[in-house]
Structures are given as structure tokens and as C-alpha cells.
Amino acid sequence: MERELKEFIKKCDIAIKQEDFDTLMSYYTDDAILVVKPGMIARGKEEIKEAFIKIAKYFNNCLVPTQGEMIILETGDTALVISQTLLDADKNESEFSMDRRATYVFKKNSQGEWLCAIDNSYGTDLIN
């Protein structure tokens, strides 16, 4: 299952890089949440898609996310992924870290496919 989830996350990263937000939304649960930035959460696919469009624009439409070290904790139809998420973009200054310790929660749907329920690229930095 670990390999399956890593491949799934890679597909998500590719969709972000290619700004293929319709495909990206197919990888989320209907009631998913995205931490846009500390203090700002997008809820549901419509808000998440709008947020990704704004994020792409913020990063001059050249955001490239990749994953470094990753730990996957799985039980039943739920998985917690703790990942080093690296962001690359053609942007000289950003108020946000480009090297993050993300936390993601995935759920399996009735077809056995993984979907993202909680997308938090800031991980425990939200506590600060």
C-alpha cells in the first residue's frame, strides 16, 4: 500500500505542476480540506480548486511540488502521510517555507481508490 500511496501523491504533484486542476480535484474527497496557509482553510472541491488557482498565480504559474522522505501510517481505509514536501518556483521571495514537513490524510473510497481528505502542507507548523 505504501508504494500505491506514493504513486498517488506523485500524480497529485504532477497535476499541480501542470495546473490540471480538474484532474487534481478527482483526487480529493468531496468534503476534503486544504490548508491554504496558516489560518486559511479551503473546504470542498470548489474552494480547493479556487485556492490552487490562486496558489499557482502566487507562484508565477511555475510551482513544482515534490516529496522527499515520507512516512505512511495506515489502518483500514485511512492513512496518515508525513512527508517532506519541497516546493520549487520561479519566485525570488515567499513568506512561506519552500521546504515543509507536511501531513496528509487519505481515505479509500468504495472502489478501493485513495483520495485526499486533509491536505496540510504546513504540518505541525500550524501550531506556531
Side-chain angles (χ1 to χ4, degrees), residues 26-49:
S26 73
Y27 299 146
Y28 282 86
T29 63
D30 290 335
D31 61 349
I33 64 170
L34 166 71
V35 178
V36 179
K37 62 182 180 181
M40 182 183 287
I41 294 176
R43 297 178 184 279
K45 290 182 179 185
E46 186 176 318
E47 284 185 21
I48 292 171
K49 183 177 178 179

mmCIF file of all heavy atoms in Angstrom, residues 26-49:
data_model
loop_
_atom_site.group_PDB
_atom_site.id
_atom_site.type_symbol
_atom_site.label_atom_id
_atom_site.label_comp_id
_atom_site.label_asym_id
_atom_site.label_seq_id
_atom_site.Cartn_x
_atom_site.Cartn_y
_atom_site.Cartn_z
ATOM 1 N N SER A 26 -10.215 15.391 -8.795
ATOM 2 C CA SER A 26 -10.676 13.996 -8.767
ATOM 3 C C SER A 26 -9.908 13.178 -7.732
ATOM 4 O O SER A 26 -10.317 12.064 -7.406
ATOM 5 C CB SER A 26 -10.565 13.362 -10.155
ATOM 6 O OG SER A 26 -9.212 13.102 -10.497
ATOM 7 N N TYR A 27 -8.830 13.723 -7.199
ATOM 8 C CA TYR A 27 -8.013 13.042 -6.197
ATOM 9 C C TYR A 27 -8.410 13.405 -4.767
ATOM 10 O O TYR A 27 -7.776 12.967 -3.811
ATOM 11 C CB TYR A 27 -6.536 13.369 -6.395
ATOM 12 C CG TYR A 27 -5.972 12.947 -7.736
ATOM 13 C CD1 TYR A 27 -4.992 13.706 -8.358
ATOM 14 C CD2 TYR A 27 -6.389 11.796 -8.386
ATOM 15 C CE1 TYR A 27 -4.443 13.330 -9.582
ATOM 16 C CE2 TYR A 27 -5.859 11.414 -9.607
ATOM 17 C CZ TYR A 27 -4.888 12.185 -10.196
ATOM 18 O OH TYR A 27 -4.349 11.807 -11.407
ATOM 19 N N TYR A 28 -9.443 14.225 -4.608
ATOM 20 C CA TYR A 28 -9.895 14.666 -3.281
ATOM 21 C C TYR A 28 -11.270 14.100 -2.963
ATOM 22 O O TYR A 28 -12.089 13.894 -3.854
ATOM 23 C CB TYR A 28 -9.985 16.204 -3.239
ATOM 24 C CG TYR A 28 -8.651 16.882 -3.092
ATOM 25 C CD1 TYR A 28 -7.865 17.166 -4.203
ATOM 26 C CD2 TYR A 28 -8.166 17.240 -1.847
ATOM 27 C CE1 TYR A 28 -6.634 17.789 -4.076
ATOM 28 C CE2 TYR A 28 -6.934 17.867 -1.699
ATOM 29 C CZ TYR A 28 -6.182 18.130 -2.815
ATOM 30 O OH TYR A 28 -4.961 18.736 -2.683
ATOM 31 N N THR A 29 -11.544 13.887 -1.664
ATOM 32 C CA THR A 29 -12.893 13.550 -1.225
ATOM 33 C C THR A 29 -13.774 14.781 -1.413
ATOM 34 O O THR A 29 -13.271 15.907 -1.485
ATOM 35 C CB THR A 29 -12.921 13.125 0.254
ATOM 36 O OG1 THR A 29 -12.510 14.225 1.075
ATOM 37 C CG2 THR A 29 -12.037 11.905 0.517
ATOM 38 N N ASP A 30 -15.080 14.574 -1.491
ATOM 39 C CA ASP A 30 -15.997 15.699 -1.673
ATOM 40 C C ASP A 30 -15.925 16.702 -0.529
ATOM 41 O O ASP A 30 -16.099 17.896 -0.729
ATOM 42 C CB ASP A 30 -17.438 15.202 -1.834
ATOM 43 C CG ASP A 30 -17.651 14.487 -3.157
ATOM 44 O OD1 ASP A 30 -16.905 14.754 -4.129
ATOM 45 O OD2 ASP A 30 -18.575 13.641 -3.224
ATOM 46 N N ASP A 31 -15.662 16.211 0.679
ATOM 47 C CA ASP A 31 -15.627 17.087 1.852
ATOM 48 C C ASP A 31 -14.201 17.390 2.325
ATOM 49 O O ASP A 31 -13.976 17.752 3.475
ATOM 50 C CB ASP A 31 -16.438 16.478 2.995
ATOM 51 C CG ASP A 31 -15.906 15.120 3.443
ATOM 52 O OD1 ASP A 31 -15.043 14.535 2.745
ATOM 53 O OD2 ASP A 31 -16.358 14.630 4.491
ATOM 54 N N ALA A 32 -13.240 17.256 1.433
ATOM 55 C CA ALA A 32 -11.822 17.470 1.778
ATOM 56 C C ALA A 32 -11.567 18.896 2.251
ATOM 57 O O ALA A 32 -12.347 19.818 1.963
ATOM 58 C CB ALA A 32 -10.945 17.176 0.562
ATOM 59 N N ILE A 33 -10.464 19.051 2.988
ATOM 60 C CA ILE A 33 -9.999 20.380 3.350
ATOM 61 C C ILE A 33 -8.543 20.539 2.915
ATOM 62 O O ILE A 33 -7.779 19.575 2.872
ATOM 63 C CB ILE A 33 -10.141 20.688 4.864
ATOM 64 C CG1 ILE A 33 -9.264 19.782 5.713
ATOM 65 C CG2 ILE A 33 -11.594 20.627 5.301
ATOM 66 C CD1 ILE A 33 -9.183 20.196 7.173
ATOM 67 N N LEU A 34 -8.205 21.779 2.568
ATOM 68 C CA LEU A 34 -6.852 22.148 2.171
ATOM 69 C C LEU A 34 -6.417 23.312 3.048
ATOM 70 O O LEU A 34 -7.124 24.323 3.127
ATOM 71 C CB LEU A 34 -6.825 22.583 0.701
ATOM 72 C CG LEU A 34 -5.560 23.319 0.214
ATOM 73 C CD1 LEU A 34 -4.380 22.356 0.131
ATOM 74 C CD2 LEU A 34 -5.815 23.981 -1.137
ATOM 75 N N VAL A 35 -5.284 23.170 3.720
ATOM 76 C CA VAL A 35 -4.717 24.301 4.439
ATOM 77 C C VAL A 35 -4.016 25.159 3.394
ATOM 78 O O VAL A 35 -2.954 24.788 2.886
ATOM 79 C CB VAL A 35 -3.747 23.848 5.550
ATOM 80 C CG1 VAL A 35 -3.132 25.062 6.239
ATOM 81 C CG2 VAL A 35 -4.460 22.951 6.555
ATOM 82 N N VAL A 36 -4.618 26.273 3.041
ATOM 83 C CA VAL A 36 -4.069 27.176 2.033
ATOM 84 C C VAL A 36 -2.831 27.859 2.587
ATOM 85 O O VAL A 36 -1.795 27.947 1.939
ATOM 86 C CB VAL A 36 -5.119 28.221 1.595
ATOM 87 C CG1 VAL A 36 -4.543 29.177 0.559
ATOM 88 C CG2 VAL A 36 -6.375 27.538 1.076
ATOM 89 N N LYS A 37 -2.959 28.339 3.807
ATOM 90 C CA LYS A 37 -1.862 28.922 4.578
ATOM 91 C C LYS A 37 -2.329 28.936 6.021
ATOM 92 O O LYS A 37 -3.531 28.762 6.281
ATOM 93 C CB LYS A 37 -1.491 30.321 4.072
ATOM 94 C CG LYS A 37 -2.592 31.347 4.181
ATOM 95 C CD LYS A 37 -2.147 32.680 3.610
ATOM 96 C CE LYS A 37 -3.253 33.721 3.723
ATOM 97 N NZ LYS A 37 -2.834 35.011 3.154
ATOM 98 N N PRO A 38 -1.437 29.094 6.976
ATOM 99 C CA PRO A 38 -1.878 29.105 8.369
ATOM 100 C C PRO A 38 -3.014 30.119 8.571
ATOM 101 O O PRO A 38 -2.928 31.271 8.149
ATOM 102 C CB PRO A 38 -0.613 29.516 9.128
ATOM 103 C CG PRO A 38 0.500 28.972 8.265
ATOM 104 C CD PRO A 38 0.021 29.199 6.848
ATOM 105 N N GLY A 39 -4.114 29.638 9.142
ATOM 106 C CA GLY A 39 -5.273 30.482 9.382
ATOM 107 C C GLY A 39 -6.273 30.515 8.241
ATOM 108 O O GLY A 39 -7.323 31.143 8.361
ATOM 109 N N MET A 40 -5.982 29.837 7.125
ATOM 110 C CA MET A 40 -6.892 29.837 5.982
ATOM 111 C C MET A 40 -7.070 28.416 5.459
ATOM 112 O O MET A 40 -6.098 27.783 5.039
ATOM 113 C CB MET A 40 -6.375 30.729 4.850
ATOM 114 C CG MET A 40 -7.319 30.785 3.653
ATOM 115 S SD MET A 40 -6.674 31.765 2.276
ATOM 116 C CE MET A 40 -6.853 33.401 2.939
ATOM 117 N N ILE A 41 -8.321 27.951 5.497
ATOM 118 C CA ILE A 41 -8.646 26.597 5.050
ATOM 119 C C ILE A 41 -9.692 26.665 3.954
ATOM 120 O O ILE A 41 -10.676 27.400 4.068
ATOM 121 C CB ILE A 41 -9.165 25.745 6.232
ATOM 122 C CG1 ILE A 41 -8.040 25.534 7.243
ATOM 123 C CG2 ILE A 41 -9.724 24.412 5.741
ATOM 124 C CD1 ILE A 41 -8.458 24.799 8.496
ATOM 125 N N ALA A 42 -9.479 25.898 2.887
ATOM 126 C CA ALA A 42 -10.473 25.733 1.827
ATOM 127 C C ALA A 42 -11.207 24.426 2.102
ATOM 128 O O ALA A 42 -10.581 23.421 2.423
ATOM 129 C CB ALA A 42 -9.805 25.704 0.461
ATOM 130 N N ARG A 43 -12.525 24.451 1.964
ATOM 131 C CA ARG A 43 -13.347 23.274 2.244
ATOM 132 C C ARG A 43 -14.126 22.879 0.998
ATOM 133 O O ARG A 43 -14.793 23.713 0.395
ATOM 134 C CB ARG A 43 -14.320 23.563 3.382
ATOM 135 C CG ARG A 43 -13.624 23.870 4.682
ATOM 136 C CD ARG A 43 -14.628 24.203 5.794
ATOM 137 N NE ARG A 43 -13.933 24.592 7.004
ATOM 138 C CZ ARG A 43 -13.409 23.764 7.881
ATOM 139 N NH1 ARG A 43 -13.496 22.464 7.672
ATOM 140 N NH2 ARG A 43 -12.792 24.203 8.956
ATOM 141 N N GLY A 44 -14.036 21.613 0.643
ATOM 142 C CA GLY A 44 -14.758 21.108 -0.516
ATOM 143 C C GLY A 44 -14.002 21.383 -1.806
ATOM 144 O O GLY A 44 -13.134 22.255 -1.876
ATOM 145 N N LYS A 45 -14.334 20.610 -2.821
ATOM 146 C CA LYS A 45 -13.593 20.655 -4.084
ATOM 147 C C LYS A 45 -13.632 22.023 -4.755
ATOM 148 O O LYS A 45 -12.629 22.459 -5.324
ATOM 149 C CB LYS A 45 -14.107 19.589 -5.044
ATOM 150 C CG LYS A 45 -13.759 18.177 -4.618
ATOM 151 C CD LYS A 45 -14.258 17.186 -5.642
ATOM 152 C CE LYS A 45 -13.909 15.768 -5.249
ATOM 153 N NZ LYS A 45 -14.299 14.816 -6.297
ATOM 154 N N GLU A 46 -14.758 22.711 -4.707
ATOM 155 C CA GLU A 46 -14.860 24.006 -5.376
ATOM 156 C C GLU A 46 -13.894 25.020 -4.752
ATOM 157 O O GLU A 46 -13.136 25.689 -5.464
ATOM 158 C CB GLU A 46 -16.293 24.530 -5.309
ATOM 159 C CG GLU A 46 -16.509 25.800 -6.107
ATOM 160 C CD GLU A 46 -17.965 26.242 -6.101
ATOM 161 O OE1 GLU A 46 -18.849 25.381 -6.240
ATOM 162 O OE2 GLU A 46 -18.198 27.451 -5.962
ATOM 163 N N GLU A 47 -13.904 25.124 -3.425
ATOM 164 C CA GLU A 47 -12.995 26.056 -2.756
ATOM 165 C C GLU A 47 -11.538 25.644 -2.933
ATOM 166 O O GLU A 47 -10.666 26.492 -3.096
ATOM 167 C CB GLU A 47 -13.315 26.147 -1.258
ATOM 168 C CG GLU A 47 -14.533 26.962 -0.932
ATOM 169 C CD GLU A 47 -14.743 27.125 0.571
ATOM 170 O OE1 GLU A 47 -13.779 26.963 1.360
ATOM 171 O OE2 GLU A 47 -15.887 27.400 0.958
ATOM 172 N N ILE A 48 -11.268 24.340 -2.901
ATOM 173 C CA ILE A 48 -9.901 23.853 -3.057
ATOM 174 C C ILE A 48 -9.380 24.188 -4.451
ATOM 175 O O ILE A 48 -8.250 24.652 -4.608
ATOM 176 C CB ILE A 48 -9.810 22.341 -2.759
ATOM 177 C CG1 ILE A 48 -10.072 22.091 -1.270
ATOM 178 C CG2 ILE A 48 -8.448 21.782 -3.176
ATOM 179 C CD1 ILE A 48 -10.223 20.628 -0.892
ATOM 180 N N LYS A 49 -10.208 23.986 -5.467
ATOM 181 C CA LYS A 49 -9.791 24.315 -6.834
ATOM 182 C C LYS A 49 -9.485 25.805 -6.953
ATOM 183 O O LYS A 49 -8.452 26.190 -7.511
ATOM 184 C CB LYS A 49 -10.873 23.908 -7.829
ATOM 185 C CG LYS A 49 -10.480 24.165 -9.274
ATOM 186 C CD LYS A 49 -11.558 23.688 -10.231
ATOM 187 C CE LYS A 49 -11.177 23.981 -11.665
ATOM 188 N NZ LYS A 49 -12.204 23.496 -12.602
#
